[in-house]
Amino acid sequence: QVQLAESGGELVQAGGSLRLSCAASGRTFSNYAMGWFRQAPGKERECVAAISRSGSSTYYTNSVKGRFTISRDNAKNTVYLQMNSLKPEDTAVYYCAAAQNWAAWNVQPGSASRYGSWGQGTQVTVSS
């Protein structure tokens, strides 16, 4: 299991941008596929974006395509989520997650069941 810590969540106006970071502990970060999830009040937790171990493959939920970009720097044990053109409906707690089984991750990268380690979350609030 890897320890994860998110940062970067803030209050931002609609149309603005934020960059979330997820720092992972240990020396096996490159063995994990990574994902960003979010949970808004009254809604189920959903996968926003995911990225393979090497960063060669990415996944985005339809509502953020063209606005959000997931990336990773394995040398720094860090995953990023660049969020542009933010909307009020993007308001949520954002969680970083790590998937150990890369084969299962490839089948359903947006499924929470593929991820075994989770950060504590960072609040993103977008005002209208």
Side-chain angles (χ1 to χ4, degrees):
Q1 188 173 352
V2 62
Q3 284 70 52
L4 306 173
E6 306 95 335
S7 63
E10 296 179 2
L11 171 65
V12 64
Q13 294 184 5
S17 298
L18 283 175
R19 185 184 67 184
L20 305 183
S21 298
C22 174
S25 65
R27 296 179 292 276
T28 60
F29 176 70
S30 62
N31 290 334
Y32 295 86
M34 303 295 296
W36 283 99
F37 289 74
R38 69 184 181 187
Q39 188 164 25
K43 295 185 178 181
E44 298 291 330
R45 184 173 297 189
E46 66 170 345
C47 183
V48 175
I51 189 167
S52 63
R53 294 177 297 162
S54 66
S56 62
S57 180
T58 57
Y59 160 87
Y60 298 95
T61 191
N62 287 336
S63 63
V64 307
K65 287 181 179 178
R67 299 189 298 119
F68 291 9
T69 302
I70 188 171
S71 62
R72 68 190 297 163
D73 186 341
N74 287 347
K76 298 180 65 176
N77 283 12
T78 303
V79 174
Y80 304 95
L81 184 67
Q82 179 66 47
M83 304 184 293
N84 298 326
S85 301
L86 284 163
K87 304 175 181 179
E89 52 262 44
D90 294 320
T91 296
V93 177
Y94 284 72
Y95 298 89
C96 179
Q100 186 176 14
N101 191 328
W102 56 91
W105 178 90
N106 271 317
V107 177
Q108 292 183 322
S111 175
S113 65
R114 310 304 185 187
Y115 299 84
S117 299
W118 297 81
Q120 64 182 10
T122 184
Q123 177 69 49
V124 172
T125 302
V126 184
S127 62
S128 60

